[in-house]
Amino acid sequence: MKNKPLNRQKYSKEVKEGLYQIVLPTTFPVGPVNVYLIEGNALTLVDTGPKTDEAWEILIKGIEEVGYQLMDIQQILITHYHIDHSGLLERVRKVSGAQILGHPLLEPYIELKPEFNEYRNQFYFKLYKSCGVPHEYQHHFARQQKRFQHLFDPSQVDIKLAHRQQVPGLEDWQVLYTPGHSQDHLCIYRRRDGVLLGGDHIIEHISSNALIEPPLHSTNERPLTLVQYRAALEMCADEDIQIIFTGHGEPVTKHRQLIHERLKNNWLRTEKIRHLLEDGPKTVYELTTLLFPSIFKKELNLTISETIGHLDLLTLLHQVKVEEIEGVSYYSI
Ligand SMILES: [Zn+2]
């Protein structure tokens, strides 16, 4: 049951009809995260924010301001598994009993079974080795996972969503599968007024990364995440979107212009990498240190992902060759 909302909204705002935004603080460099409450046949929370007491309290206040209680939430839709968006998931689920909706590829990241953790750690260890990452950083991913493990409680996915299906309980909203930033990333779209809830697919003030991730099964090839990301951006450019409410920062109104800008700047980096190979073959790690000299140590996974993504593109376009010497890949033009 909805109570009469307060006049002065401090923790939430109605951004479109039946759509409310709640801004939650995070402890991550990205800054605050936006989560959304949608009224429909089922009261739906889109993303939960990070697992901190501060975010938890503001989330509760934000929902109360709209006129509901946490217990009224019937379903939680997760745009993607990253912990700034999903850290409070299990806590909200326990209190509300809500169903959890997401892409099928969300499941392993949300269940976080030990064997999946081990699989991921092994994948990055081998990947870093082939990138020529020095020995002391080869376990970077596993170490980072350990540092962040208290920021997520394993949970479950109850309803798996497919591209273009209607969101259960929200008859106006449709799923758009938008992999690239993460393999499970999805957006939801309300065609009648052109509203997209975009997660981290596109953000006004920062360009999203296409993070390298393992294939779901070890026998499959690694997904070409930057290629996916570019294609999923182009797909959104083709949609008649009026406004994108994003996972961070202000809404995007001129989405085609912004997507074009992102794709163009992305190509510039691809070109830069090709130039860096003019004076001889290099490993992914060597290229990463040249491209991101000030941040590669701190943000190894992000920067290595970026370099690999562009090399994947160049490889697909037959603009670079790759040769493996003692387990390390060397790229050349
Ligand atoms: Zn993210």
Side-chain angles (χ1 to χ4, degrees):
M1 257 305 263
K2 190 174 179 177
N3 297 314
K4 194 177 175 297
L6 302 172
N7 288 332
R8 269 195 319 135
Q9 308 278 292
K10 203 172 151 208
Y11 299 102
S12 67
K13 73 172 176 210
E14 186 169 16
V15 287
K16 279 277 169 183
E17 184 202 336
L19 173 68
Y20 304 84
Q21 183 189 60
I22 303 169
V23 183
L24 301 174
T26 79
T27 51
F28 305 109
V30 68
V33 64
N34 302 324
V35 304
Y36 297 89
L37 195 64
I38 308 177
E39 290 175 321
N41 287 339
L43 184 67
T44 306
L45 180 67
V46 177
D47 289 342
T48 64
K51 195 186 145 196
T52 66
D53 289 339
E54 201 189 356
W56 173 250
E57 274 162 34
I58 295 175
L59 178 67
I60 291 171
K61 284 180 187 156
I63 293 168
E64 283 175 358
E65 254 185 19
V66 179
Y68 299 100
Q69 303 289 317
L70 201 62
M71 277 154 49
D72 296 329
I73 291 171
Q74 290 162 292
Q75 52 188 29
I76 308 161
L77 185 147
I78 295 293
T79 60
H80 65 300
Y81 73 87
H82 292 166
I83 51 178
D84 49 338
H85 297 262
S86 68
L88 281 174
L89 176 61
E90 185 56 13
R91 203 158 161 188
V92 177
R93 188 188 74 86
K94 273 206 180 113
V95 175
S96 63
Q99 297 265 295
I100 298 171
L101 283 63
H103 190 269
L105 291 171
L106 170 70
E107 191 169 56
Y109 292 93
I110 287 293
E111 289 183 347
L112 270 194
K113 290 185 176 152
E115 53 275 24
F116 180 68
N117 266 337
E118 188 48 36
Y119 168 58
R120 267 171 106 198
N121 290 344
Q122 278 302 320
F123 167 82
Y124 288 104
F125 175 68
K126 283 185 208 152
L127 180 78
Y128 285 2
K129 251 181 146 166
S130 75
C131 289
V133 170
H135 193 74
E136 66 261 40
Y137 305 132
Q138 284 174 3
H139 285 288
H140 172 86
F141 185 84
R143 275 191 221 120
Q144 186 177 298
Q145 283 303 99
K146 220 175 177 153
R147 258 195 298 130
F148 287 157
Q149 78 183 3
H150 67 287
L151 294 173
F152 188 80
D153 299 318
S155 191
Q156 65 193 52
V157 180
D158 301 302
I159 300 174
K160 292 175 188 165
L161 302 173
H163 182 60
R164 296 282 179 203
Q165 84 164 83
Q166 181 223 312
V167 181
L170 296 177
E171 61 178 28
D172 287 345
W173 293 83
Q174 188 188 62
V175 175
L176 294 183
Y177 177 41
T178 48
H181 174 62
S182 64
Q183 288 306 293
D184 62 336
H185 197 291
L186 52 82
C187 302
I188 58 169
Y189 179 47
R190 189 163 71 180
R191 193 173 294 276
R192 101 174 127 76
D193 56 356
V195 174
L196 185 86
L197 293 193
D200 281 358
H201 185 48
I202 185 151
I203 297 169
E204 176 80 36
H205 65 292
I206 33 174
S207 70
S208 273
N209 289 85
L211 293 159
I212 299 296
E213 287 185 272
L216 189 56
H217 301 290
S218 58
T219 48
N220 293 356
E221 293 282 316
R222 164 178 70 77
L224 304 180
T225 56
L226 185 59
V227 179
Q228 286 178 324
Y229 181 58
R230 293 184 58 96
L233 277 181
E234 281 167 0
M235 179 189 72
C236 286
D238 283 342
E239 293 290 337
D240 274 321
I241 295 165
Q242 296 300 314
I243 189 161
I244 307 177
F245 292 103
T246 54
H248 304 276
E250 295 300 312
V252 174
T253 47
K254 292 187 175 132
H255 80 293
R256 288 192 178 117
Q257 197 178 312
L258 186 61
I259 288 172
H260 181 67
E261 202 178 295
R262 292 280 187 271
L263 291 172
K264 195 176 81 183
N265 289 335
N266 201 259
W267 272 124
L268 289 177
R269 189 167 276 166
T270 312
E271 279 293 300
K272 191 173 176 185
I273 292 185
R274 211 169 53 79
H275 284 310
L276 286 172
L277 293 173
E278 276 168 358
D279 62 352
K282 290 179 180 63
T283 65
V284 170
Y285 181 73
E286 284 165 343
L287 285 167
T288 305
T289 61
L290 293 169
L291 281 167
F292 311 101
S294 57
I295 55 160
F296 78 90
K297 271 189 195 157
K298 206 166 154 254
E299 298 284 0
L300 195 63
N301 201 37
L302 222 78
T303 54
I304 289 270
S305 285
E306 190 70 25
T307 310
I308 295 176
H310 292 283
L311 288 169
D312 284 348
L313 268 178
L314 288 168
T315 308
L316 267 181
L317 297 171
H318 303 295
Q319 292 183 12
V320 296
K321 293 187 288 269
V322 56
E323 194 188 353
E324 207 182 292
I325 302 169
E326 290 171 9
V328 177
S329 301
Y330 289 82
Y331 289 84
S332 61
I333 51 174

